[in-house]
Amino acid sequence: MLDPNVDAPPQSQLQTKTPSQSRTTILYNFSTDYVLREQYRDPWNEVRIGKLLEDLDALAGTISVKHCSDEDSMTRPLLLVTAAVDKMVLKKPISVDGDLKMVGAVIWVGRSSIEIQLEVTQPTNECSDASETVALTANFIFVARDSKTGKAAPVNRLSPETEQEKLLCEEAEARHELRKRKRGNERKEFENGEVNRLEALLAEGRIFCDMPALADRDTILLRDTRLEHSLVCQPQQRNIHGRIFGGFLMHRAFELAFSTAYAFAGMMPCFLEVDHVDFLRPVDVGDFLRFKSCILYTEFETTDQPLINVEVVAHVTRPELRSSEVSNKFYFTFTVHPEATATKNGFRIRKVVPATEEEARRILERMDAESLQVAKNMKK
């Protein structure tokens, strides 16, 4: 796979596969394997989420290869890349002391794209219901390209067997149609209907810029929450296609987002979810990568558990060409533990306001995306 024969003929006929044919399970024997446990332990005796994100992407890649393979060594393999992470939600803390299971399968197939659903489960003595052991869920979207031409390539069809598999396929199809509509009209709707909200956000930011002595002390400019991390991509971080592994990028982005939330809140943040992640362009070995983070906005609806929304943007920078392009955008949501806030009298998460119209637009776009997701969950 690291050196495919691109001159071999492509797959001549598509196959029909079931979700069970791609289903794959990974076991983490933390309770008995000390070395493995230490590799995944964070300072608070929980699993390092960033490392888990890397593993999830690797498992999704393995599943996509299983589904798309025609098991014919005489045909050239497809180029399969992570296009997006639709949603990733942490349902409960994951301890590093108990065994962990990661399982996933293909749930939906388009012409050249597939959606893979993954679950991380960690049984406990208190849980009798299997659904209560689910600690994390994630949906990855992969796209197939011809390894010779680079053009979109058709993938094997999917035939759900059980009622649950059929339901997952229908839900994934609805998400796919929603993403298509959103790409077509999101910007137009924003420009026509959000002027008042935009101006209201900017008015708060202007007070900070023009009259800082009169600004609300519980408010902070978005630009003052920024952090940055840079690295040169190494060969050890490449995937089977020679490009930088998407899970590695998510791992690095998460750790910067965690640090950003930590510095902002003044106490250890608690990870909740990864919102939709877009992989806009591939990252190559040797690329100079810059991760830039900021607190995009905060929410206070639940006073004992405020939400901190962090944006991380990855830029591929080429100093020789004096160029910089956005390769990835990540959005993470954190909170803080109620018991931690109780020990700090008068603790409050500050409100973030924009100083520019571009920052205000980014805030409103993410707030609207989150509101849409909440409305969809309520309908379910």
Side-chain angles (χ1 to χ4, degrees):
M1 292 295 290
L2 284 173
D3 189 20
N5 182 7
V6 295
D7 293 324
Q11 182 177 345
S12 59
Q13 189 172 0
L14 295 178
Q15 301 177 5
T16 298
K17 295 190 176 184
T18 64
S20 61
Q21 288 178 274
S22 66
R23 186 167 288 112
T24 307
T25 301
I26 304 295
L27 297 176
Y28 296 78
N29 297 317
F30 289 142
S31 63
T32 57
D33 192 331
Y34 173 80
V35 174
L36 182 68
R37 186 165 67 246
E38 286 303 301
Q39 289 175 348
Y40 282 81
R41 185 194 301 275
D42 74 4
W44 300 276
N45 208 43
E46 294 180 357
V47 168
R48 291 175 59 190
I49 297 296
K51 195 167 178 58
L52 204 60
L53 297 183
E54 195 166 345
D55 290 357
L56 286 165
D57 188 60
L59 177 57
T62 297
I63 292 169
S64 67
V65 170
K66 277 189 176 183
H67 178 82
C68 295
S69 173
D70 61 355
E71 300 174 357
D72 184 353
S73 60
M74 300 306 292
T75 61
R76 63 174 179 258
L78 294 176
L79 180 66
L80 294 162
V81 296
T82 311
V85 178
D86 190 65
K87 195 76 171 178
M88 186 180 298
V89 179
L90 183 70
K91 296 179 177 293
K92 64 176 186 177
I94 305 176
S95 170
V96 78
D97 292 325
D99 291 343
L100 206 65
K101 181 171 73 172
M102 190 185 295
V103 60
V106 174
I107 62 169
W108 174 86
V109 169
R111 182 186 177 277
S112 61
S113 59
I114 61 177
E115 183 167 337
I116 297 138
Q117 186 175 80
L118 304 170
E119 286 187 346
V120 177
T121 60
Q122 187 170 55
T124 61
N125 296 330
E126 294 79 16
C127 288
S128 57
D129 185 358
S131 63
E132 294 180 3
T133 68
V134 176
L136 184 147
T137 60
N139 287 64
F140 283 74
I141 299 165
F142 276 66
V143 294
R145 297 287 182 265
D146 188 290
S147 56
K148 183 176 182 180
T149 66
K151 296 181 180 179
V155 296
N156 290 329
R157 297 176 292 267
L158 184 71
S159 177
E161 295 177 302
T162 68
E163 290 301 317
Q164 178 64 15
E165 289 172 352
K166 292 174 182 178
L167 177 62
L168 290 174
C169 188
E170 291 171 2
E171 292 175 347
E173 177 66 29
R175 288 193 295 271
H176 176 70
E177 292 299 322
L178 179 63
R179 286 192 296 269
K180 285 170 61 176
R181 292 196 301 270
K182 192 176 177 182
R183 284 194 297 266
N185 59 25
E186 183 182 52
R187 187 65 177 179
K188 183 176 180 180
E189 290 177 357
F190 182 80
E191 291 176 347
N192 290 340
E194 301 297 328
V195 176
N196 292 337
R197 292 172 67 201
L198 193 74
E199 285 300 318
L201 270 177
L202 284 171
E204 295 184 72
R206 289 193 191 102
I207 296 175
F208 251 104
C209 297
D210 299 338
M211 297 170 286
L214 302 179
D216 186 349
R217 295 301 98 185
D218 288 330
T219 304
I220 187 172
L221 286 176
L222 181 151
R223 67 190 182 198
D224 292 333
T225 68
R226 290 173 177 162
L227 291 180
E228 184 173 335
H229 175 66
S230 301
L231 60 93
V232 175
C233 298
Q234 303 297 329
Q236 295 79 11
Q237 298 148 4
R238 71 190 188 281
N239 59 21
I240 61 173
H241 306 299
R243 293 277 175 69
I244 296 302
F245 176 42
F248 170 79
L249 301 175
M250 283 197 292
H251 185 172
R252 292 292 183 161
F254 174 84
E255 293 191 341
L256 180 61
F258 184 92
S259 299
T260 305
Y262 201 170
F264 176 78
M267 61 179 63
M268 187 197 78
C270 178
F271 168 69
L272 293 178
E273 65 180 41
V274 180
D275 198 4
H276 190 86
V277 175
D278 287 312
F279 291 79
L280 304 175
R281 69 175 302 280
V283 181
D284 294 315
V285 173
D287 279 350
F288 177 31
L289 202 59
R290 301 178 69 184
F291 291 92
K292 301 180 181 181
S293 68
C294 68
I295 306 297
L296 204 55
Y297 67 96
T298 55
E299 295 180 14
F300 309 97
E301 281 77 6
T302 307
T303 54
D304 63 338
Q305 196 174 43
L307 300 181
I308 304 169
N309 294 269
V310 185
E311 177 190 64
V312 180
V313 181
H315 299 256
V316 172
T317 305
R318 294 186 173 85
E320 299 92 342
L321 302 177
R322 294 192 299 173
S323 69
S324 180
E325 295 178 281
V326 173
S327 65
N328 307 83
K329 290 185 178 181
F330 306 87
Y331 298 94
F332 302 91
T333 303
F334 296 88
T335 187
V336 291
H337 291 289
E339 57 269 23
T341 60
T343 62
K344 287 194 172 185
N345 295 329
F347 171 82
R348 180 175 173 81
I349 294 290
R350 299 172 79 176
K351 182 178 180 181
V352 177
V353 295
T356 66
E357 182 175 328
E358 186 269 337
E359 291 175 351
R361 287 182 180 276
R362 282 159 51 199
I363 292 173
L364 289 181
E365 285 171 359
R366 293 315 310 163
M367 292 176 70
D368 289 345
E370 285 292 328
S371 298
L372 180 62
Q373 185 64 42
V374 170
K376 284 168 59 183
N377 292 339
M378 291 178 65
K379 287 181 181 179
K380 291 180 182 179

